[in-house]
Amino acid sequence: MPKLSSTLFHTKPSRSLSSSSSNNLQTLLKRGFTPTLNSIIQFLLFLSHTRRFNTVIHFFSQTESNQIKGNSQTRSILTWALLKLHKYEDAEHFMRTQMAKASKLPRNRMWDTLIQGLCINQKDPDKALLVLRDCLRKYGTFPSSFTFCSLIYRFSYKGDMSKAIEVVELMTDEKINYPFNNFVCSSVISGFCKIGKPEIAVEFFENALKSGALQPNIVVYTALVGALCKLGRVSEVCDLVCKMEKEGLAFDVVFYSSWICGYISEGSLMEVFQKKRQMVDKGIRPDTVSYTILVDGFSKLGDVEKAIGFLKKMRKGGLEPSLITYTAIMLGFCKKGKLEEAFAIFKMVEDLGIEVDEFMYATLIHGFCMRGDLDGVFRLLDEMEKKGINPSIVTYNMVINGLCKLGRTAEAEKISEGVSGDTITYSTLLHGYIEEENISGILETKRRLEEAGVFIDVVMCNILIKALFMVGAFEDAYILYKGMPEKGLAANSITYCTMIDGYCKVGRIDEALEIFDEFRRTPLSSVACYNCIINWLCKQGMVDMATEVFIELNQKSLILDDGICKMLLKAIFKQKGATGVLNLVHRVENLRPGMYDVMSNGAISFLCKRGFHESAFEMFAVMRRKGSVATRKTYYSVLEGLIDDGKEWLTLPLLNIFLKEYGLVEPKVSQILAYHMCLKDVNDALCFLEKIKDRPTAITLPISLFKTLMKKGKVLVAYQLFMEAEDSVPVLDAFDYSLMVDGLCKGGYISEALDLCGFAKSKGITLNIIAYNSVINGLCRQGHLVDAFRLFDSLERINLVPSEITYATLIDALRREGFLLDAKQLFESMVLKGFKPNTHVYNSIIDGFCKTGHMEDALKLLCELDMKSLRPDEFTVSIVINGFCQKGDMEGALNFFTEFQRNGTSPDFLGFLYLIRGLCAKGRMEEARSILREMLQSQSVLELVNRVDVELETDSLESLLVSLCEQGSIQEAVTVLNEIASMFFPVRSSSFDCHQSHKLQKPCDSEDPKTVTSKSVTSINADLDIQFSGLKNVEKVAKTCDVIGSRSQFHDFDYYYKQIASLCSIGELQKASQLVKEIVSNLGKN
């Protein structure tokens, strides 16, 4: 036998016995006595039986050094001694080199012990598996089933499921064919759950069950329940329980605890309590572990109060909570930000004499990090150090993560330099620098990571790829992605998303599509990857390709994200309009029924928000044909849009369908019906509202209804509805009341406007000056100046300060009615009160002076206008020219015209016309011709002339006027200009004005298509409208709006019609007839 060096055996024997045996053996050999092999065996057996294994090893080395040959029995005794002393490496070496000669040695038991020792005692299952493979392949020995089970358990515990399955396959091989027991099955199921693959765990169980080799016990079923719960299939556990009951299996506290865990994860609290009650009813007493599971579950759900309740029940039942129980409650408090309560639990644990561990400190540290209190974090770390608790990398990672989340990644990196970081450490740092977009930090962390040689997992790879894209290292990112298989890593959906997003952000869409194609060839199913590429394709305007990807996503039966549907709709609408959206929905008509409904309803909502209500209605019709279900929201959107657009021929059939499908149960349905009825017939609407007012759920008409009615010119209907349907009227603010008051005043319903003001006051609403301006303007328009001034004088009593517009309205009314002196006095009063009249207020007074022949006063006021740094406008020039013309002072008119034209201000249409008429009347035709040429070069005049062409479909009047001018036919040109003036400027006679006055009417105030607006002429009504566009800044409105810029106010046909209709409705037929005669008389004078 070759000599074995004693250095092979590292453990020294006990001094007395080893020296004695050694000396005795040496003495016997010197005396010429050679011990027999049998005596040596007996001595070794004695030492082995008395468990003196170190002495066995030492004695065996002495026999070898003295060249005393042993046999298989001596080698067997030595092998067992090595195994008993856990010298597995030495035992393995000896068995591999020497035991081949021991043919009769019971080798199986030794290899069993060696493999189990490596696996269980030394916790090195990888080494144990190498030995197992050699046993089966080289030595032909078959370790026991327990050995196989030990390896399977250890690999499953580590999460190394590929090797666990390899051992299972070896165990069930035909040559060995050990029975497949419950221990193996439960270990494998738990192992797959541990690595986050519960679906494989369930599949493994089902295959084992089908093979007939497994008769599950309570342990296996408990492991299976854990897997089902992780998959969110808690409902299937009930069927499993029925099966177990049929098999006669007894449930235990662990099974119920696992089941309850599943319901906690789903947040089904009622089920949690029911299962706990069911467990108690079955006579199963909850233990510390089961209570801890409940405490932990409720703490994680954020219901730490219930967790405290279970803690109290636990102590009341005689069970002492463990450190884990208290830690779970602390975690619940920390998640809710209640650090003071968490600290109270911490102190209570210390007072109970329970030794606090690192994890409890880590829980508090995590809470402080969540709050952003890093001073508290460092205090806890110091406290841990004083107590001798060494923080592990887990605790440091929490601190590093907290710093990174606060944007203090540089500080986090300094802390990481003092510890041996792991994958999570570097991943957190990289993620922090990515969020901060710190390129140098990313590069430095990457360098440290490479130097540290830390194992890179998929998560780290994904973060590193994102970091490389951020620093512009696209090729390095691609190399890392391609090199993942060499590292034993498989790219997951996040990897592909990161690559696609990275390439798309820098505009390299082709590379992104290549990565996406690689993803499509994998078995991975990820909605995120599809959403990512669709998102970027939409941003790049590649909507057709995005649509194809969307259709493919649907074909894979993946969940379609509502957000990505909206994005696709938005992109297509931007590129192809409403037609493109309709075409998209037609293309995806083969979507899964539920998803088609979502897509169609989303498209309808999208179109309605953008005002394409008819297209939305068309989409709804397609849905009806396909039998799809339109949601209430869809009906609401389309109906409200069609009603607002006034498309009643579409509204009524849709409303009928809506009522048939949903009835009048919901208030929203009744509201829409009432809305529609209000627009059709207010009396029917009032009857309907009266019938449904006693319902438990009352309806409130939207404010938009009243605005729509006023927009349609039905302000009196809005008023009637408001006053008579008080229970269904929404709460209006001062702005809404002011808007309705203004509408009533413009319609000539002053009495109703005043009633509404009183009603608002009774409701505690204080109307502002804007509402009263509307009333004052309305009174002035109807000639009730006395009432207007009474209201003006009462403003102080209700604590309202008149505005510039208030004064402007009254000044213009006085001027129109011929009270020029009063208008001038009010103007002066306005200035004394600190108000600054604008150009249009000056225009009103100047116009009055000009028309009464007081040109000196007019020109004086014009100079004052200039001194106030106010710029005269087209209207100012026109009224002064008209004043000169009325006096026959054509030189003055021409000089004034020339002066202001030189300054860049020309008259408006009528200003030119006044001047041309005046020159013609004096026989100064060439000068009139020159002014006509100037007139035909004015942009505002040409716009007005061209509008006549469009509205009357005539040949070019501009060309005609130019031709007449060149021919010298000035009188004919004046005739044409007079016709144009009569079309656009309605006229009336006044007691003081025998000349034409003009005012450009607002389109909404007249049904006459020839009525126009002009930049040069602005009415008081227009100024009041401006008020409502900015109620919050009345002073700004007063400075910027055009107050008195119009000539005399002339009522249009709309106004006279309302007056006549009003008189007829109250039986005043004589007055109505008289008003008609006056209208005809005035028209005849024109």
Side-chain angles (χ1 to χ4, degrees):
M1 181 181 356
K3 180 178 179 181
L4 288 175
S5 172
S6 61
T7 58
L8 178 67
F9 310 107
H10 303 292
T11 305
K12 296 181 179 180
S14 59
R15 180 174 296 178
S16 60
L17 185 59
S18 63
S19 60
S20 173
S21 60
S22 177
N23 290 337
N24 287 338
L25 182 59
Q26 293 292 335
T27 301
L28 288 172
L29 292 172
K30 286 179 181 179
R31 291 178 179 177
F33 176 76
T34 303
T36 64
L37 183 60
N38 187 52
S39 63
I40 291 173
I41 291 171
Q42 291 301 317
F43 182 65
L44 288 172
L45 286 172
F46 167 74
L47 293 174
S48 181
H49 290 155
T50 55
R51 305 188 65 78
R52 297 169 180 171
F53 302 119
N54 284 323
T55 306
V56 170
I57 295 170
H58 188 73
F59 186 81
F60 191 84
S61 67
Q62 289 297 319
T63 58
E64 278 200 321
S65 62
N66 287 285
Q67 297 183 351
I68 298 173
K69 294 182 178 181
N71 61 8
S72 61
Q73 192 171 2
T74 59
R75 288 191 289 273
S76 177
I77 293 169
L78 175 63
T79 303
W80 280 114
L82 291 168
L83 291 171
K84 294 294 184 181
L85 289 172
H86 296 179
K87 291 178 166 290
Y88 300 115
E89 290 79 5
D90 294 339
E92 182 194 357
H93 177 74
F94 186 73
M95 289 168 68
R96 287 180 182 276
T97 56
Q98 301 299 321
M99 296 309 293
K101 300 178 182 180
S103 57
K104 295 182 181 180
L105 188 71
R107 292 175 295 177
N108 282 11
R109 224 159 48 87
M110 289 184 182
W111 288 111
D112 248 2
T113 305
L114 175 62
I115 295 169
Q116 291 172 24
L118 288 168
C119 181
I120 299 169
N121 297 327
Q122 201 160 299
K123 296 181 180 178
D124 189 358
D126 295 296
K127 178 67 174 175
L129 180 57
L130 290 173
V131 175
L132 176 64
R133 288 170 182 161
D134 288 342
C135 283
L136 297 175
R137 296 167 187 170
K138 292 182 180 180
Y139 307 123
T141 59
F142 301 107
S144 65
S145 63
F146 179 77
T147 300
F148 283 94
C149 290
S150 300
L151 276 170
I152 293 167
Y153 172 79
R154 183 57 60 180
F155 280 124
S156 297
Y157 182 80
K158 283 181 64 179
D160 194 346
M161 296 311 297
S162 59
K163 290 179 180 174
I165 295 299
E166 180 186 345
V167 178
V168 171
E169 290 172 349
L170 291 172
M171 179 181 178
T172 55
D173 187 70
E174 292 179 354
K175 294 179 181 178
I176 301 173
N177 200 23
Y178 283 136
F180 189 82
N181 60 24
N182 286 305
F183 179 79
V184 171
C185 189
S186 61
S187 298
V188 173
I189 292 172
S190 299
F192 278 120
C193 289
K194 186 186 287 286
I195 65 171
K197 294 183 178 179
E199 67 282 357
I200 301 178
V202 174
E203 186 180 353
F204 180 84
F205 170 81
E206 291 171 349
N207 291 336
L209 205 61
K210 287 176 185 177
S211 68
L214 180 68
Q215 185 65 39
N217 62 7
I218 187 65
V219 178
V220 174
Y221 279 124
T222 302
L224 180 62
V225 167
L228 290 172
C229 290
K230 284 181 182 293
L231 288 170
R233 294 160 58 181
V234 189
S235 57
E236 296 180 28
V237 179
C238 293
D239 296 332
L240 191 65
V241 168
C242 294
K243 182 181 178 183
M244 291 169 67
E245 287 175 342
K246 288 179 182 178
E247 293 174 1
L249 291 174
F251 300 97
D252 60 11
V253 69
V254 182
F255 179 87
Y256 270 101
S257 297
S258 183
W259 194 4
I260 288 170
C261 259
Y263 283 118
I264 288 174
S265 298
E266 289 192 345
S268 304
L269 302 186
M270 290 303 299
E271 290 292 340
V272 169
F273 289 116
Q274 286 177 8
K275 295 302 172 282
K276 182 179 177 295
R277 171 55 55 192
Q278 188 177 326
M279 177 176 72
V280 174
D281 291 343
K282 286 182 180 289
I284 302 170
R285 187 172 180 269
D287 60 6
T288 302
V289 175
S290 63
Y291 270 115
T292 301
I293 288 172
L294 287 168
V295 168
D296 182 61
F298 280 103
S299 293
K300 287 177 178 175
L301 287 173
D303 197 346
V304 71
E305 290 75 17
K306 281 192 174 65
I308 292 287
F310 280 114
L311 180 68
K312 291 178 180 177
K313 282 185 181 180
M314 184 179 180
R315 301 185 75 171
K316 189 177 180 180
L319 295 172
E320 280 301 319
S322 66
L323 187 65
I324 298 172
T325 314
Y326 288 116
T327 305
I329 291 177
M330 283 176 57
L331 182 63
F333 279 127
C334 288
K335 284 185 73 173
K336 295 186 78 172
K338 296 183 177 181
L339 288 183
E340 293 74 16
E341 289 84 345
F343 252 116
I345 298 293
F346 181 81
K347 294 299 181 186
M348 184 178 72
V349 170
E350 288 187 322
D351 294 341
L352 290 171
I354 301 174
E355 187 176 348
V356 178
D357 63 1
E358 182 198 358
F359 188 70
M360 184 167 272
Y361 269 107
T363 303
L364 280 175
I365 287 171
H366 179 64
F368 275 105
C369 287
M370 287 174 64
R371 183 183 278 186
D373 184 0
L374 292 174
D375 293 333
V377 169
F378 291 118
R379 282 198 304 271
L380 287 172
L381 287 172
D382 291 339
E383 191 176 319
M384 288 176 71
E385 186 179 346
K386 290 176 183 177
K387 290 185 177 181
I389 302 172
N390 294 321
S392 67
I393 191 61
V394 174
T395 303
Y396 279 115
N397 282 344
M398 285 184 180
V399 179
I400 290 168
N401 184 53
L403 286 165
C404 290
K405 283 185 176 178
L406 290 174
R408 297 164 62 177
T409 312
E411 294 177 52
E413 184 166 18
K414 288 181 181 178
I415 291 175
S416 72
E417 290 170 356
V419 297
S420 179
D422 59 6
T423 305
I424 296 173
T425 311
Y426 291 105
S427 297
T428 306
L429 288 171
L430 279 172
H431 189 268
Y433 280 128
I434 288 170
E435 290 297 311
E436 294 176 17
E437 298 184 1
N438 188 329
I439 305 300
S440 59
I442 291 171
L443 294 173
E444 175 61 20
T445 306
K446 180 177 177 291
R447 183 193 63 75
R448 287 183 57 204
L449 170 65
E450 291 168 349
E451 287 182 358
V454 174
F455 169 76
I456 297 179
D457 60 7
V458 177
V459 175
M460 169 66 87
C461 259
N462 293 340
I463 294 174
L464 199 51
I465 288 170
K466 188 173 182 179
L468 290 169
F469 269 110
M470 180 167 283
V471 299
F474 311 125
E475 299 307 319
D476 290 344
Y478 184 76
I479 290 169
L480 179 59
Y481 159 71
K482 281 296 185 181
M484 288 178 71
E486 296 176 8
K487 294 180 173 63
L489 302 173
N492 59 17
S493 59
I494 297 174
T495 314
Y496 288 108
C497 273
T498 306
M499 291 291 296
I500 292 167
D501 189 60
Y503 277 128
C504 287
K505 278 181 178 176
V506 294
R508 296 168 67 166
I509 194 73
D510 291 333
E511 285 97 327
L513 289 170
E514 287 178 13
I515 299 295
F516 179 68
D517 285 337
E518 290 181 20
F519 160 75
R520 293 166 68 197
R521 291 192 288 270
T522 67
L524 293 172
S525 294
S526 170
V527 177
C529 283
Y530 278 93
N531 287 351
C532 184
I533 197 69
I534 291 171
N535 173 31
W536 282 106
L537 287 171
C538 288
K539 287 181 178 179
Q540 293 289 327
M542 303 167 69
V543 293
D544 291 329
M545 187 178 290
T547 305
E548 295 298 331
V549 176
F550 180 81
I551 292 170
E552 181 180 309
L553 173 61
N554 171 67
Q555 290 170 349
K556 286 186 173 289
S557 299
L558 295 172
I559 297 172
L560 298 179
D561 181 60
D562 187 45
I564 212 68
C565 292
K566 289 179 181 177
M567 179 175 291
L568 187 58
L569 287 170
K570 186 176 180 180
I572 290 176
F573 178 81
K574 183 178 180 181
Q575 196 173 100
K576 302 183 179 181
T579 305
V581 173
L582 291 171
N583 291 337
L584 170 67
V585 179
H586 284 304
R587 285 194 65 188
V588 297
E589 61 182 2
N590 293 325
L591 284 173
R592 299 186 299 278
M595 198 55 229
Y596 180 80
D597 292 349
V598 171
M599 186 75 175
S600 300
N601 284 302
I604 290 173
S605 176
F606 180 87
L607 290 169
C608 286
K609 285 179 181 178
R610 283 152 184 82
F612 290 87
H613 303 115
E614 283 196 59
S615 297
F617 182 81
E618 185 181 339
M619 180 78 67
F620 169 78
V622 173
M623 286 184 70
R624 292 284 297 177
R625 287 196 295 271
K626 285 182 64 67
S628 296
V629 178
T631 63
R632 288 181 175 87
K633 184 181 177 182
T634 297
Y635 278 106
Y636 298 154
S637 300
V638 180
L639 279 169
E640 288 172 355
L642 293 175
I643 289 172
D644 287 342
D645 290 349
K647 296 182 170 62
E648 296 173 0
W649 67 93
L650 296 176
T651 304
L652 193 57
L654 182 60
L655 188 57
N656 287 333
I657 296 170
F658 188 24
L659 291 172
K660 286 177 183 177
E661 291 194 5
Y662 292 101
L664 283 170
V665 177
E666 287 196 13
K668 184 77 172 178
V669 182
S670 300
Q671 187 185 59
I672 290 177
L673 181 58
Y675 192 112
H676 178 71
M677 293 176 73
C678 288
L679 295 178
K680 295 290 288 182
D681 189 322
V682 69
N683 294 318
D684 289 343
L686 289 169
C687 291
F688 174 71
L689 291 171
E690 180 68 23
K691 288 179 181 178
I692 65 171
K693 73 176 184 179
D694 296 328
R695 286 188 176 183
T697 312
I699 70 165
T700 302
L701 295 171
I703 293 176
S704 61
L705 169 61
F706 296 90
K707 293 179 180 178
T708 302
L709 287 169
M710 288 188 284
K711 185 178 178 182
K712 290 177 177 289
K714 298 181 179 180
V715 65
L716 198 59
V717 173
Y719 169 79
Q720 181 185 354
L721 184 64
F722 184 83
M723 300 302 286
E724 296 185 28
E726 189 174 347
D727 294 336
S728 301
V729 170
V731 177
L732 303 185
D733 57 17
F735 176 83
D736 299 317
Y737 277 107
S738 299
L739 199 64
M740 193 175 295
V741 166
D742 183 64
L744 288 167
C745 291
K746 285 180 179 177
Y749 308 113
I750 305 299
S751 176
E752 287 80 359
L754 290 170
D755 288 343
L756 191 60
C757 290
F759 182 82
K761 186 177 180 181
S762 69
K763 292 292 184 181
I765 303 295
T766 302
L767 297 181
N768 54 30
I769 189 61
I770 296 175
Y772 287 96
N773 283 346
S774 297
V775 178
I776 289 171
N777 182 56
L779 289 168
C780 289
R781 286 180 66 187
Q782 292 193 359
H784 303 304
L785 284 183
V786 175
D787 293 329
F789 273 94
R790 282 176 182 168
L791 182 58
F792 173 75
D793 294 336
S794 70
L795 292 177
E796 289 184 9
R797 293 198 300 272
I798 56 176
N799 297 319
L800 281 178
V801 179
S803 67
E804 287 92 337
I805 293 176
T806 318
Y807 281 101
T809 304
L810 291 169
I811 289 169
D812 191 61
L814 288 169
R815 189 269 306 170
R816 284 199 316 269
E817 297 300 327
F819 303 109
L820 188 59
L821 184 59
D822 295 309
K824 185 70 168 62
Q825 289 176 350
L826 188 59
F827 175 83
E828 292 169 353
S829 173
M830 176 184 181
V831 174
L832 288 173
K833 288 185 180 290
F835 292 105
K836 295 180 180 180
N838 61 18
T839 301
H840 290 254
V841 177
Y842 277 98
N843 283 348
S844 184
I845 303 295
I846 292 170
D847 189 34
F849 281 134
C850 289
K851 286 176 180 175
T852 55
H854 297 86
M855 291 303 297
E856 291 182 4
D857 292 328
L859 293 173
K860 184 178 178 182
L861 208 56
L862 187 62
C863 292
E864 185 181 325
L865 178 71
D866 187 56
M867 291 171 60
K868 298 287 186 182
S869 300
L870 294 174
R871 183 180 177 82
D873 59 13
E874 291 181 347
F875 183 70
T876 317
V877 177
S878 297
I879 57 178
V880 175
I881 288 173
N882 188 32
F884 279 117
C885 291
Q886 286 184 55
K887 290 187 71 175
D889 185 1
M890 297 313 300
E891 293 302 323
L894 284 171
N895 291 335
F896 188 83
F897 169 78
T898 305
E899 179 186 349
F900 274 87
Q901 191 176 46
R902 193 182 303 119
N903 293 331
T905 306
S906 297
D908 61 10
F909 180 90
L910 288 181
F912 277 110
L913 186 55
Y914 295 148
L915 190 55
I916 293 169
R917 282 175 180 171
L919 290 169
C920 288
K922 297 289 185 180
R924 300 165 69 171
M925 305 307 290
E926 274 306 313
E927 290 172 287
R929 183 179 182 183
S930 176
I931 298 299
L932 180 58
R933 285 197 184 97
E934 294 283 348
M935 180 180 187
L936 294 174
Q937 292 176 4
S938 169
Q939 186 64 34
S940 62
V941 171
L942 291 177
E943 287 177 2
L944 195 64
V945 171
N946 290 332
R947 287 189 63 178
V948 177
D949 296 336
V950 174
E951 293 176 11
L952 299 184
E953 298 182 359
T954 64
D955 294 331
S956 174
L957 283 179
E958 180 185 350
S959 300
L960 174 61
L961 288 168
V962 170
S963 177
L964 290 172
C965 181
E966 294 303 320
Q967 293 172 14
S969 304
I970 306 303
Q971 290 290 357
E972 289 80 356
V974 169
T975 303
V976 174
L977 292 173
N978 284 337
E979 288 298 323
I980 295 173
S982 67
M983 290 173 62
F984 288 106
F985 304 101
V987 297
R988 71 177 172 95
S989 300
S990 71
S991 60
F992 66 92
D993 182 16
C994 60
H995 297 274
Q996 283 188 335
S997 296
H998 65 283
K999 167 178 176 272
L1000 295 180
Q1001 300 288 332
K1002 294 180 8 177
C1004 61
D1005 291 338
S1006 173
E1007 294 179 3
D1008 187 352
K1010 296 175 286 184
T1011 305
V1012 298
T1013 56
S1014 169
K1015 293 179 183 177
S1016 66
V1017 184
T1018 308
S1019 70
I1020 293 296
N1021 295 331
D1023 295 323
L1024 291 171
D1025 288 337
I1026 291 172
Q1027 296 181 84
F1028 293 98
S1029 68
L1031 277 175
K1032 295 182 180 178
N1033 197 346
V1034 177
E1035 293 302 321
K1036 183 178 179 182
V1037 171
K1039 291 178 182 177
T1040 59
C1041 69
D1042 295 335
V1043 183
I1044 305 296
S1046 67
R1047 323 242 189 246
S1048 298
Q1049 305 292 308
F1050 292 101
H1051 299 308
D1052 57 18
F1053 177 81
D1054 231 7
Y1055 171 77
Y1056 286 121
Y1057 177 80
K1058 289 173 184 174
Q1059 294 298 311
I1060 294 167
S1062 177
L1063 290 169
C1064 292
S1065 65
I1066 60 175
E1068 297 286 351
L1069 298 181
Q1070 189 175 356
K1071 290 183 179 180
S1073 299
Q1074 183 63 31
L1075 183 57
V1076 171
K1077 289 177 182 178
E1078 289 181 10
I1079 295 169
V1080 173
S1081 174
N1082 285 335
L1083 289 174
K1085 293 177 182 179
N1086 294 334

